[in-house]
Amino acid sequence: MEHHTILGAAEPLISPFAGLALCPAAGFTLPPGQTGPVFERDVWDFGQVVGLPAYMKRSAQILDFTPIRNPLWRAVAKEYIAALMLPGHERVRELPNAVRTPHTVQTCNLKLKEAVRWLNWLTAQGIVRLSDVSDYHCTAYVAERARRLDKTGEVIGQQSPAMARAANVVIELAHYQELFSTDRYPAGLRPFNGRAASVVAGLRRSRNGENATPVVPSEILQPLLGAALYMVQVLSPHILVLRNQVRDRQQAAPSPERQVRGVAVLEEAVRRRIADARPLDQLPQGRISLRLSKGTFVPDDPLLNVSFDSLAREAGRSSFNYRQLTALRPVLLQALDAVGVEQPWGRGAAEVTRADEQGEVPWTVPIPEDQVRTLANQLRTACIIVTAAVSGMRISEIAELAVGCRLTEEPAPGMVPYRLASKVIKGQPLGGTEDEWVVTEEVHQAVEAAEELAGSGEPGTLLFGNFAFNLLYERFRRWVNGPSGQRLGLSLIAAHPVSLRMLRRTLAVELAYRPGGVLATKIALKHVSVATTEGYANRPGGAQSRLLAEITAEEQQRNLDLTLTEYHKYQQGIRPSGPGARDLVKFFDSVDSDLYEQTKKAPHVVLNDQQIRTMLSKRASSLHLGVANYCWFTDPSRALCLKLAQTPNAKKPLIGMCDSARCPQATHHACHRPIWAEHQTTTKVFLGNLGRGQKAERERLEADLARCERVLSEIDGTAGNGA
């Protein structure tokens, strides 16, 4: 057991964690015969712990203290990390500022990296004892850590999140220093005068706790989701067949009895190619360059790019004997003239409809073996994109998907609820909690393709495991924008960062704000909403309930924004139309009256949007988006849809049965005009195609057209006239 002496102390202090086996103390399970890391070691390897998240990188499982240059401070760092991992330890729980929730191995790894930066920075400044650290050192370090540099090393800005992480470690070493046995800050040092790390870095919480994760812009999401769905739904069967062909040929063993035969069997294989009109196989470019570098071929040799090993395999040999090339050259040249040379995989590919629907093309041109692997990798990425974008699953939940995770049942003919078995990792004990997601058919197809790609029928085999999505996304984008994707008619994807967290937020916003928006052009968005709601009902405490909560929060914010927008239009003289317009204008009049009274009482106080939002919030909570109208569901007894459905006690309107031209709670606004105008045009086309004998249908369509024209006239008539 090591004992360290704090510089200047008379007696050595023993660490409160001395001799501690970390895994049992943290409640981690180990396989039989494994001991796991012990506190005194300078490298803590948690790789054998049972239940580590599948998305966790191997490097994140190892806590390495050796980069800390000062040996005394390695002990400090170990005590600090052990305290974060073991908040229930008898010495840790006595500390007033200690964190009470155990940190995960991955979080401890990140904290250690920050501690290494801080302690080594002190060493570089000539500090050998923590007792010499001053508030100046703390401030100078976080300022330096926050610098954003360009490629030339010039400071171009500040990284507030990095600054906050750096300040947090500096502060926490003060909070835990009573545990340190080798060195500690001077008595009385309060880094940053006791301010929190977020305050030091200037980070601010978003208004009303609003989610700060940005959405994926529509000009990025549309081509990205379109390409991913095209790969899963159109290309995946062809890619999987080709991938299996490559795998089968790699696993095929040459026939032992044919191994002993000479050049004749090779000649036979070449002549068979001529007879079948099959081109010779072309070498990958890297192999061609290798031949030239070795000097075995000259650049103008007609056989330079011909694969001889493929002929050898076809003849039953494991490899080609180059000493036989001279004897084989005449027949090879004859074959070259007769059938040529071509990449070996994907010849005669089946035709598919281009993604832009501009005709049909072979799904692939002939490609080398390494590009078959590239295609399989791009399909895997497409499966991840579809699963994340359409289901809203987190990266940790996607990483836990395994062979056999698809759960299907058919309670009634033609009705198949698709479910996925996974685990919830975030906020759960080590090993996660078993959970299920109700998903749409698109997600089910993506996971099915991923199972085929896994190439293993063994249940429990992870489909995705640990993956770096930012790298996968960039490779996928390059493939879409490259010759292969453009030949298939895929839309270009502009350069823009995309993360799985952004895709989840985008789904929530699309469901809340744009029921006919970007996602709806590629998938049935209503089905996504139903699946999410059903998933919540199936497991109210599960992960899908959290997604539904995010969607609900976005809907509440959406309703407030829309109501505020319509109120501002009302102030500008732009009125709504429709049967419910009178009630809505009356409500806005009352808000105006209340605002007038408030300004009379306090004429020097300027009311802001947030105060107006508060006054509008009750009416905003009753707003529901129809396809071509707003529904202000304030009184269920007046809702036409509930009367038609004979469900007077329903808590929500039946938007699918809405007749907004007659319902007293429906309003029309300028944003709805394009939908009504399109319906008007379509109805006129239908009327023009009717025959003389379709009198009843003509009467119905003429009435529908008259209603449509009346709604359009009302929308145009109330825009800006103050009526």
Side-chain angles (χ1 to χ4, degrees):
M1 184 182 298
E2 295 183 26
H3 297 289
H4 300 280
T5 304
I6 300 177
L7 297 180
E11 296 292 336
L13 298 180
I14 299 175
S15 172
F17 307 105
L20 186 66
L22 295 167
C23 287
F28 297 162
T29 302
L30 290 168
Q34 299 294 327
T35 58
V38 178
F39 173 78
E40 278 72 18
R41 296 174 187 167
D42 285 343
V43 177
W44 297 352
D45 188 348
F46 292 94
Q48 296 296 322
V49 171
V50 176
L52 290 177
Y55 73 91
M56 191 174 179
K57 296 179 180 178
R58 173 67 179 133
S59 59
Q61 301 168 7
I62 301 173
L63 276 61
D64 187 357
F65 298 87
T66 57
I68 300 174
R69 299 169 193 164
N70 189 326
L72 292 177
W73 294 348
R74 287 180 196 167
V76 168
K78 285 191 281 187
E79 289 161 340
Y80 165 56
I81 297 300
L84 294 177
M85 193 176 290
L86 307 170
H89 188 278
E90 58 183 357
R91 288 286 302 279
V92 178
R93 60 174 179 251
E94 296 174 354
L95 302 179
N97 294 313
V99 178
R100 304 305 175 190
T101 303
H103 283 49
T104 65
V105 173
Q106 185 163 348
T107 303
C108 287
N109 192 297
L110 296 174
K111 293 273 191 176
L112 174 58
K113 286 182 170 62
E114 286 294 341
V116 170
R117 291 190 183 99
W118 165 231
L119 297 174
N120 284 348
W121 183 87
L122 290 174
T123 299
Q125 305 303 309
I127 305 296
V128 296
R129 296 187 304 176
L130 290 180
S131 58
D132 293 331
V133 173
S134 66
D135 202 52
Y136 163 78
H137 295 109
C138 302
T139 304
Y141 169 67
V142 297
E144 182 175 315
R145 180 81 172 85
R147 293 174 185 166
R148 180 185 288 119
L149 307 177
D150 62 14
K151 294 180 180 179
T152 64
E154 293 293 324
V155 178
I156 59 173
Q158 177 174 296
Q159 305 176 89
S160 294
M163 189 177 189
R165 290 193 297 270
N168 188 62
V169 166
V170 173
I171 293 168
E172 287 188 338
L173 286 179
H175 290 167
Y176 289 98
Q177 67 178 350
E178 292 181 28
L179 303 173
F180 302 158
S181 59
T182 60
D183 204 358
R184 58 184 64 167
Y185 289 153
L189 175 66
R190 297 176 67 241
F192 316 111
N193 294 320
R195 289 179 294 161
S198 59
V199 176
V200 173
L203 294 176
R204 297 180 180 178
R205 290 187 176 182
S206 58
R207 175 173 55 86
N208 296 329
E210 183 180 338
N211 193 331
T213 302
V215 299
V216 181
S218 60
E219 61 271 18
I220 305 298
L221 179 63
Q222 178 80 344
L224 173 62
L225 185 57
L229 286 168
Y230 186 80
M231 285 206 79
V232 169
Q233 297 175 343
V234 178
L235 300 184
S236 64
H238 306 291
I239 294 174
L240 291 167
V241 167
L242 191 60
R243 193 283 310 265
N244 291 341
Q245 290 173 352
V246 172
R247 184 181 58 187
D248 292 343
R249 196 178 82 168
Q250 290 173 340
Q251 295 175 350
S255 174
E257 62 272 13
R258 300 189 71 184
Q259 288 275 43
V260 297
R261 297 177 64 178
V263 177
V265 71
L266 295 171
E267 290 183 355
E268 180 187 343
V270 176
R271 295 191 187 282
R272 193 161 51 245
R273 290 227 173 192
I274 297 173
D276 297 341
R278 287 187 295 127
L280 299 175
D281 292 351
Q282 183 175 325
L283 270 183
Q285 187 57 47
R287 296 282 301 278
I288 295 173
S289 301
L290 183 62
R291 281 182 175 181
L292 291 173
S293 66
K294 288 184 175 181
T296 54
F297 287 82
V298 295
D300 58 352
D301 190 326
L303 300 180
L304 171 64
N305 60 349
V306 175
S307 171
F308 306 129
D309 284 340
S310 66
L311 286 172
R313 283 194 297 269
E314 190 172 333
R317 295 185 175 184
S318 58
S319 62
F320 181 75
N321 185 350
Y322 277 81
R323 288 178 293 185
Q324 298 175 335
L325 179 58
T326 302
L328 199 61
R329 181 176 285 269
V331 72
L332 284 171
L333 292 175
Q334 179 185 350
L336 203 59
D337 291 336
V339 296
V341 63
E342 192 177 51
Q343 295 291 357
W345 298 104
R347 296 174 182 174
E351 291 197 342
V352 295
T353 303
R354 284 168 51 101
D356 56 7
E357 299 183 348
Q358 299 300 310
E360 293 188 343
V361 293
W363 78 268
T364 183
V365 297
I367 55 177
E369 184 176 308
D370 63 327
Q371 289 190 27
V372 177
R373 290 192 292 271
T374 297
L375 277 173
N377 290 335
Q378 302 304 352
L379 175 57
R380 178 175 178 266
T381 302
C383 294
I384 294 173
I385 292 170
V386 171
T387 302
V390 184
S391 75
M393 296 179 78
R394 294 187 176 95
I395 184 173
S396 58
E397 294 152 1
I398 294 175
E400 296 290 340
L401 292 174
V403 172
C405 67
R406 292 181 297 122
L407 309 174
T408 58
E409 56 186 17
E410 192 170 359
M415 298 181 61
V416 181
Y418 300 103
R419 293 179 294 131
L420 298 178
S422 184
K423 289 182 179 180
V424 180
I425 301 299
K426 184 175 181 180
Q428 302 300 311
L430 187 67
T433 302
E434 300 289 340
D435 199 6
E436 291 180 8
W437 282 74
V438 178
V439 297
T440 62
E441 186 177 3
E442 292 87 356
V443 176
H444 208 259
Q445 290 172 342
V447 175
E448 182 178 12
E451 283 190 297
E452 292 287 337
L453 280 173
S456 171
E458 186 67 28
T461 302
L462 293 177
L463 301 183
F464 305 112
N466 171 45
F467 58 89
F469 180 75
N470 57 335
L471 297 178
L472 296 180
Y473 164 68
E474 282 302 323
R475 291 170 185 165
F476 184 77
R477 189 179 72 85
R478 287 197 298 269
W479 182 85
V480 170
N481 293 350
S484 299
Q486 294 309 292
R487 191 183 63 81
L488 291 165
L490 297 173
S491 300
L492 293 171
I493 304 174
H496 191 281
V498 174
S499 68
L500 295 189
R501 185 176 296 178
M502 291 169 65
L503 289 174
R504 177 184 172 94
R505 175 84 198 289
T506 302
L507 177 64
V509 170
E510 288 285 330
L511 289 171
Y513 281 80
R514 295 186 287 272
V518 177
L519 279 171
T521 63
K522 291 295 178 184
I523 59 172
L525 200 62
K526 182 179 179 181
H527 294 173
V528 181
S529 179
V530 170
T532 302
T533 306
E534 184 181 338
Y536 163 74
N538 188 44
R539 301 176 72 89
Q544 211 152 10
S545 65
R546 301 181 187 181
L547 175 61
L548 186 62
E550 290 183 33
I551 295 170
T552 302
E554 295 291 350
E555 287 177 339
Q556 293 171 350
Q557 187 63 45
R558 171 208 69 189
N559 287 354
L560 271 174
D561 291 342
L562 291 176
T563 307
L564 182 63
T565 298
E566 293 306 323
Y567 174 70
H568 286 326
K569 288 181 179 179
Y570 153 84
Q571 291 181 313
Q572 298 165 12
I574 302 173
R575 300 294 195 259
S577 61
R582 185 187 299 273
D583 284 350
L584 186 60
V585 170
K586 185 177 179 180
F587 169 72
F588 286 157
D589 286 340
S590 69
V591 173
D592 252 3
S593 176
D594 289 345
L595 290 175
Y596 176 72
E597 292 298 325
Q598 290 188 31
T599 53
K600 279 178 58 179
K601 294 177 182 178
H604 300 295
V605 177
V606 179
L607 295 175
N608 56 32
D609 266 1
Q610 186 55 46
Q611 291 169 293
I612 299 174
R613 283 170 182 268
T614 302
M615 301 177 72
L616 297 174
S617 61
K618 185 175 181 179
R619 180 58 66 102
S621 65
S622 70
L623 175 59
H624 297 267
L625 300 191
V627 175
N629 69 286
Y630 290 160
C631 172
W632 305 90
F633 193 69
T634 55
D635 185 355
S637 66
R638 300 176 63 203
L640 179 61
C641 60
L642 301 189
K643 291 179 180 179
L644 294 174
Q646 298 182 356
T647 56
N649 298 320
K651 303 298 182 182
K652 291 183 179 181
L654 303 173
I655 293 295
M657 298 183 64
C658 181
D659 182 355
S660 62
R662 295 194 297 139
C663 182
Q665 299 185 120
T667 58
H668 302 131
H669 304 261
C671 61
H672 301 126
R673 194 186 193 288
I675 302 171
W676 286 101
E678 181 182 358
H679 183 58
Q680 178 192 41
T681 302
T682 304
T683 305
K684 287 180 177 179
V685 172
F686 285 153
L687 275 169
N689 293 331
L690 290 179
R692 291 184 177 181
Q694 297 175 287
K695 183 178 179 180
E697 182 65 12
R698 180 176 295 277
E699 290 177 355
R700 187 188 68 80
L701 286 177
E702 286 176 345
D704 194 24
L705 179 61
R707 181 191 66 155
C708 187
E709 290 175 340
R710 176 169 56 83
V711 170
L712 285 171
S713 176
E714 290 175 353
I715 292 175
D716 294 338
T718 56
N721 63 6

